[in-house]
Amino acid sequence: TNNTVNGVAVYYQLSTCNGEDVVFVKFVNNNNYSVNVEWYPAVFTQEHKWIKKETLQDKKSVTLNQTSALEGDCSGTKPETVIRLSDFSIKKSDFFRYSTSNIAVSKQ
């Protein structure tokens, strides 16, 4: 699924890292300048309920160079782009979709 905000496209993919259910988030900066992306993670369940993480310590942030991409993987080098479903107290079978809630894209 893709959502574009101020020239930055956001994608997500359900996956597994070391036996743990996760969501990989991918950002593609289509701008010709660097951007800072801030958001709060949220998941939508099969029961059609949003579970949002909206406290200040839950806020995620990444910086993207011009016309570049950043994608989550199991390496642990980009923790902001790997969302653990256990943090939302749900399993993969409960998961319906992921959202970057209250996303803000600003020029660096």
Side-chain angles (χ1 to χ4, degrees), residues 15 18 27 33 38 45 52 54 59 80 92 101 103 107:
S15 191
N18 306 317
F27 296 95
Y33 50 84
E38 294 180 308
T45 68
K52 298 180 179 182
E54 294 183 308
K59 191 178 214 179
E80 294 84 4
K92 194 187 280 192
S101 178
I103 187 168
K107 195 170 181 175

Side-chain angles (χ1 to χ4, degrees), residues 12 14 43-51 85 88-98:
Y12 72 85
L14 194 56
V43 295
F44 193 61
T45 68
Q46 291 287 352
E47 291 80 40
H48 305 288
K49 291 188 179 128
W50 280 107
I51 304 172
L85 292 188
F88 295 87
S89 303
I90 68 166
K91 297 180 173 72
K92 194 187 280 192
S93 57
D94 301 320
F95 177 83
F96 186 73
R97 76 183 192 91
Y98 177 78

Side-chain angles (χ1 to χ4, degrees), residues 24-59:
F24 290 143
V25 186
K26 178 180 181 180
F27 296 95
V28 179
N29 181 11
N30 296 304
N31 296 300
N32 61 358
Y33 50 84
S34 297
V35 296
N36 188 49
V37 183
E38 294 180 308
W39 76 99
Y40 294 92
V43 295
F44 193 61
T45 68
Q46 291 287 352
E47 291 80 40
H48 305 288
K49 291 188 179 128
W50 280 107
I51 304 172
K52 298 180 179 182
K53 300 280 188 181
E54 294 183 308
T55 68
L56 208 51
Q57 72 234 32
D58 294 318
K59 191 178 214 179

Side-chain angles (χ1 to χ4, degrees), residues 58-77:
D58 294 318
K59 191 178 214 179
K60 307 271 186 196
S61 171
V62 295
T63 300
L64 295 167
N65 292 328
Q66 63 183 41
T67 60
S68 70
L70 180 65
E71 186 169 6
D73 60 36
C74 292
S75 70
T77 57

